[in-house]
Amino acid sequence: MSATAPEIDAGFSFDNSYHRELAGCYVDWQAATVAAPRLLKLNRALAGELGLNADRLDSAAGARVLVGNSVLPGAQPLAQAYAGHQFGGFSPQLGDGRALLLGELIDRQGRRRDLQLKGSGRTPFSRGGDGKAAVGPVLREYLIGEAMHAMGIPTTRALAAVATGEQVFRETPLPGAVLARVAASHLRVGTFEYFAARRETESLQRLLAYAIARHDPGLADHDRPALAFLAAVVGRQAALIARWMQVGFIHGVMNTDNMTISGETIDYGPCAFMDRYDPATVFSSIDHHGRYAYGNQPGIAVWNLARLAEALLPLIDAEPDRAVESATEVLQRFGPAYESHWLAGMRAKLGLVAAVEPAGPESGPETPADEMAADDRALVRDLLDILHAQAADFTGSFRALADVLDRDESRLRVQCRDPAALDPWLARWRARLRVDPGLASPERARAMRAASPIYIPRNHLVERALAAAVEEGDLEPFEALLEVLGDPFTERPGLDAYTQAAPDGGAGYQTFCGT
Ligand code: AMP
Ligand code: MG
């Protein structure tokens, strides 16, 4: 665990509020020294965003910094404490078992960002684990996080993937790596659960004040801060999960320790994108009962938020019944908020662009906008039912809808076993478009293509890229895929292979837990 001073000045300037304000919520710790750190990939754009010198980081000395082996001036590496509900069961002590928060950086836009290492060795929270990560899962997190970011979906991001030159042992020996990742924060639902379960109300209170200052500064003077904070997290998660659903993303392990307070997607383990539309789709090898299936994600999000609400109860109201009543009222906002985000996003995918006034919770009798929302919801649901029955590719089908406006139905029809099944729906959709004024067809098609990516991380392509990197040390397929995913909405010539699902439609594809 010895660390040396860095040989480069890459412009790191830390301001470690977590360390300063949350004593008792972490353990000071150091990264394990690794044999031969070597940069696999540096995210130069993100480095720039953080005000770091990418040229200096892109070096042997930079690799030592990014693996935690030379401690940067101002860094105060620590392992965070947290708990979590995993597959429904409560684990009172999880914590950073293979991760370290190096510190916080203020980026060029003035935003506070955590810099964390994942795979940096054992910590007091490691339990039986080795504290390590393998190259495959590290590159997978890099790739999928960047794909999500390029789609405009809130996410943690990879700053670098560094090979350690060591082996990690899973079922077989695998090359090891460390991921340096950047997040709005690493506060999780499970962070609050940790102190609530221990009945450490003072720590819980400090954690809440910290989270509010960091993510919801506008609530600092609220007369019911815990409740308002819960509402803010509910709102962010409702928006986030709607975005996942709109691109067919399946997180795979939505435990409460993997759900952020910030509203960013975090901890890409056995995640994957759905090919054929089927709400029951599960890829994770450990999700035997489909708890985290695609279609369950909104429901699981509310379940997780209910765990956050429980943790906050003592801070919501001193009178327990009143606390529960208030928290329940706030949790009930998830459904309508999610529905409204979902519908807005799905309308955009169908090219429905005219503004529709959202119905407020107390809007009373049905308004024309409510009626239209109900009709549009049915239009979307009916299309999804057809895609399901036709075993159609989710991403490919939505993207191909835009072509229909250009009088080309071919790419949509090939998605369906029986293309004629689409015709009545297409007629309804065209009729709906006629009462959605504002855009001529070419512009509408363009708007649709901005709402439905053509390039997503196709499972077989991700696997191929990781296999080449792990088995042959060949990073070219990874680089190529990363490049394509960096601009997911713009079709470019020569990239057809990146739009195709695996020949068998991805049937039987399994992801493993990324540990
Ligand atoms: P995850 O499923 O990756 O979100 O991790 C759940 C918990 O297990 C967290 O507390 C991790 O720190 C811990 N963990 C996962 N993998 C390892 C590992 N290889 N060594 C030590 N702890 C781990
Ligand atoms: Mg996790």
Side-chain angles (χ1 to χ4, degrees), residues 205-391:
Q205 185 75 61
R206 268 191 301 136
L207 185 63
L208 175 68
Y210 178 84
I212 287 177
R214 190 150 175 187
H215 295 297
D216 297 289
L219 302 180
D221 299 322
H222 200 281
D223 54 354
R224 302 190 75 185
L227 194 64
F229 171 71
L230 177 64
V233 179
V234 165
R236 285 193 281 271
Q237 286 294 336
L240 177 67
I241 308 297
R243 298 299 312 277
W244 290 2
M245 299 303 277
Q246 286 153 6
V247 296
F249 175 74
I250 304 171
H251 184 283
V253 56
M254 281 179 76
N255 294 333
T256 57
D257 52 303
N258 292 336
M259 182 181 260
T260 58
I261 294 310
S262 66
E264 286 183 342
T265 313
I266 196 169
D267 276 358
Y268 295 93
C271 60
F273 282 71
M274 178 171 58
D275 294 312
R276 287 178 187 163
Y277 177 73
D278 181 351
T281 306
V282 173
F283 293 118
S284 168
S285 63
I286 56 170
D287 192 359
H288 304 294
H289 303 290
R291 179 181 172 88
Y292 299 139
Y294 170 79
N296 286 353
Q297 295 184 124
I300 288 293
V302 192
W303 193 91
N304 288 350
L305 291 164
R307 305 290 79 77
L308 176 63
E310 280 168 5
L312 292 171
L313 282 178
L315 307 183
I316 288 176
D317 202 304
E319 210 282 289
D321 287 345
R322 272 212 311 264
V324 170
E325 197 181 313
S326 304
T328 305
E329 188 275 314
V330 166
L331 285 172
Q332 282 166 348
R333 295 182 204 166
F334 181 92
Y338 170 78
E339 279 296 324
S340 146
H341 288 295
W342 179 83
L343 185 59
M346 296 313 279
R347 273 179 167 146
K349 289 169 89 77
L350 295 192
L352 301 173
V353 295
V356 181
E357 287 301 313
E362 288 101 31
S363 60
E366 288 261 297
T367 64
D370 290 332
E371 253 173 65
M372 193 169 245
D375 288 352
D376 287 352
R377 208 170 280 127
L379 189 68
V380 177
R381 293 263 175 237
D382 292 346
L383 175 60
L384 292 174
D385 286 346
I386 295 168
L387 299 183
H388 190 191
Q390 296 296 323

Side-chain angles (χ1 to χ4, degrees), residues 80 82-83 86-87 93-99 118-119 121-123 125-134 141 168-170 181 188 251 253 255 257-258 266-270 286 513-515:
Q80 293 182 325
Y82 55 85
Q86 302 183 303
F87 290 92
Q93 181 161 318
L94 294 169
D96 286 333
R98 56 162 170 170
K118 185 168 172 180
R122 287 179 53 79
T123 76
F125 300 108
S126 296
R127 296 170 290 157
D130 61 1
K132 306 281 185 174
E141 175 155 352
V168 299
F169 296 90
R170 298 296 178 253
R181 79 175 174 192
R188 307 147 190 269
H251 184 283
V253 56
N255 294 333
D257 52 303
N258 292 336
I266 196 169
D267 276 358
Y268 295 93
I286 56 170
C513 202
T515 51

